Amino acid sequence: MKNHSEKEQFQEILLELKRSKEREAQLHKENQVILHGLSAISDAQTKEDIFNGLLNVIKEFVEFDNAIVVSSTDKDSFSVLASTNPYFDHLTWRYNDLFHRACHDETIILFQPHKTNEFLFKNTELQSLFSSVAICGLKSHSGYAVIILACSKFGAYSTLEKEKIERFMPLVERAVIDIDYKERLNAMVSLKTKELFLSKERFQDFAETVGDWFWETDPQFNFTYLSDTKINNTSIISQNLLSLISNDFINSTIIESEKRLAPFHEVEWNPDIFNNKIWLSLSGKPFFDEFGTFVGYRGTAKDISARKKRIRDIQTAKIEAEKANKAKSQFLAMMSHEIRTPLNSILGLVDVFHSSLLSEEQLDWLNQMESSSQLLLTIISDVLDISRIEAGTFVLNEQPIDLLRSLNTSINFLDTRAKDKGINLTVTASQKIPKYVFADATRLSQIIFNLVGNAIKFTNHGHVVVKVDK
């Protein structure tokens, strides 16, 4: 009996030793895999490589179909930092109790994720991917990070997988920190690259709009930089700005600016090398080294041929327009004169008919004819005045006139219109006004008629007063 008991104890010791060796072998394997994973993570160049290196290690010991790393910098919402499936990249999570526990050194196993608000999805296809979930997280200097392992098989995770994940936490922490660092580094590089691209694009846009050719010279105007060795497909052979220009007036302008260390702006140049078909506008300014010593000029040469052509076209069009306007004015003057001649004959015949025996109805027709003729004569006079003004031949018919009498004639005509609107129209004249003044009675009447007529037209109540003073 005693021997049997000792034999059982011996068997238990052997079994425990076997289990210990198996655990030791398992731990050794895990350590080897972790070390291999750390090496892979250290050599990784991108966050995807770090993420894949981490998953390759975990997959050796923990089963999963998909994995997601989410992070947050404001402790408010978590966004996807890396995932095994682009389908997850749009997912976001609010900072919740599960993530809080995971980020404070707790590994969480969810046997029924769909019963939690965090993993309840309206999309049934997406929901099926989260039948079992394991969560672990960490708190880093830049915020919080959580890794989510998801399996489509129910009950895939147990306390055994939880212990394995917890043993891998140093590796997880290193990987997630590296992923976060790579993400921020990539974002910074992307931002700087974008800024550099925009700066380059901005410079190119400025170059295309501000100047066609950039140059730099030393103090003797020898070229030290040319943005292009050709202008309009013509090679620049000369190594000196002044030799290239070869124009005494332009060169003297530039030399005078150099003596004063002053810039020069938009000096127009018609180069011989282009057979005088191209116009350039030269601009330059001096630049200095860090000690304030003058070291040369920098500037641009802008093609202004199109602008020169537009100016010539505008000048030509202006001359043609002036010719056409003069011809029109001459035509209007001639036509006004030609129409006035037969119209005067008609008015003369109307006067003759007035002295003949006519019925009342015929006399009314004659009055209408005379009124229409007078109106037409006034219109012709206005057209003739416009044509004379445009032709520069308009002359006032100035002679001594009774000023107040001329004013009263115009005012009396407008008084009826004012009374129809219920407006008082009055004229006040100073005692200093002489009886006769030197003026054009017709033009004066036109001015009074227009000014007072407009005053009556745009006054709905009140009064209109005409004051005459010396």
Side-chain angles (χ1 to χ4, degrees), residues 193-212:
T193 302
K194 185 177 180 180
E195 289 177 355
L196 183 62
F197 174 77
L198 290 175
S199 178
K200 182 179 178 182
E201 189 179 55
R202 187 184 298 116
F203 177 79
Q204 289 176 341
D205 290 341
F206 286 155
E208 292 175 2
T209 56
V210 176
D212 299 323

Side-chain angles (χ1 to χ4, degrees), residues 104 128 136-137 146 152 177 196 199 202 211 214 222 239 293 306 381 453:
H104 289 78
S128 65
C136 60
V146 173
S152 57
I177 290 174
L196 183 62
S199 178
R202 187 184 298 116
F214 290 85
N222 296 313
Q239 298 299 312
T293 304
S381 297

Side-chain angles (χ1 to χ4, degrees), residues 18-79:
K18 183 179 178 181
R19 289 173 181 170
S20 177
K21 287 183 177 181
E22 288 178 352
R23 284 196 299 271
E24 184 180 352
Q26 180 71 16
L27 290 173
H28 179 72
K29 181 181 178 181
E30 289 180 3
N31 290 335
Q32 289 296 111
V33 173
I34 289 173
L35 289 173
H36 180 72
L38 285 172
S39 177
I41 289 172
S42 299
D43 295 336
Q45 299 298 318
T46 65
K47 69 171 187 176
E48 287 78 12
D49 294 338
I50 298 172
F51 184 55
N52 292 330
L54 172 64
L55 296 184
N56 289 335
V57 173
I58 296 177
K59 207 158 193 175
E60 291 280 340
F61 305 99
V62 180
E63 180 184 3
F64 62 88
D65 296 323
N66 290 288
I68 309 170
V69 175
V70 296
S71 67
S72 173
T73 57
D74 57 4
K75 199 182 176 181
D76 185 28
S77 62
F78 285 77
S79 58

Side-chain angles (χ1 to χ4, degrees), residues 218-345:
D218 62 15
Q220 289 73 43
F221 294 102
N222 296 313
F223 287 120
T224 56
Y225 171 77
L226 290 173
S227 61
D228 196 350
T229 57
K230 292 183 178 181
I231 300 179
N232 290 67
N233 297 321
T234 301
S235 298
I236 306 301
I237 301 174
S238 176
Q239 298 299 312
N240 185 278
L241 178 63
L242 300 180
S243 299
L244 175 64
I245 294 174
S246 187
N247 181 292
D248 293 339
F249 176 74
I250 298 176
N251 286 351
S252 63
T253 301
I254 295 174
I255 292 171
E256 285 299 319
S257 297
E258 189 266 341
K259 289 179 180 178
R260 296 179 286 107
L261 295 181
F264 55 89
H265 300 288
E266 297 187 0
V267 178
E268 295 186 356
W269 172 39
N270 189 211
D272 297 334
I273 56 177
F274 302 125
N275 298 320
N276 299 320
K277 293 182 179 179
I278 302 295
W279 279 90
L280 297 177
S281 174
L282 291 172
S283 296
K285 64 178 296 185
F287 67 99
F288 307 86
D289 62 15
E290 63 272 22
F291 304 106
T293 304
F294 169 65
V295 291
Y297 267 80
R298 289 172 180 157
T300 63
K302 182 176 177 61
D303 189 342
I304 59 171
S305 304
R307 187 176 75 187
K308 282 286 188 180
K309 183 178 182 302
R310 284 197 299 270
I311 292 174
R312 289 195 300 270
D313 292 344
I314 290 171
Q315 290 173 342
T316 301
K318 180 181 178 183
I319 293 172
E320 294 298 325
E322 288 174 348
K323 288 180 179 178
N325 190 54
K326 184 177 180 180
K328 180 201 72 174
S329 298
Q330 291 173 346
F331 173 77
L332 287 174
M334 182 187 68
M335 290 302 298
S336 298
H337 178 72
E338 293 299 325
I339 296 173
R340 186 189 292 271
T341 300
L343 189 57
N344 285 332
S345 299

Side-chain angles (χ1 to χ4, degrees), residues 24 49 87 95 97 150 192 201 206 247-248 252 332 357 359 378 396 425 428:
E24 184 180 352
D49 294 338
Y87 192 61
Y95 186 75
D97 180 62
K192 295 298 181 182
E201 189 179 55
F206 286 155
N247 181 292
D248 293 339
S252 63
L332 287 174
L357 297 174
S359 66
T378 302
L396 291 174
L425 175 59
T428 59

Side-chain angles (χ1 to χ4, degrees), residues 151-199:
C151 188
S152 57
K153 184 173 66 174
F154 175 75
Y157 301 127
S158 64
T159 54
L160 180 62
E161 280 74 22
K162 179 178 179 179
E163 292 173 358
K164 291 178 180 179
I165 293 173
E166 288 176 345
R167 287 202 296 270
F168 291 143
M169 278 309 296
L171 178 64
V172 171
E173 182 174 352
R174 168 67 184 273
V176 171
I177 290 174
D178 281 4
I179 290 173
D180 182 57
Y181 173 74
K182 292 287 184 183
E183 178 72 12
R184 287 186 286 110
L185 185 63
N186 288 339
M188 187 181 301
V189 170
S190 176
L191 178 62
K192 295 298 181 182
T193 302
K194 185 177 180 180
E195 289 177 355
L196 183 62
F197 174 77
L198 290 175
S199 178

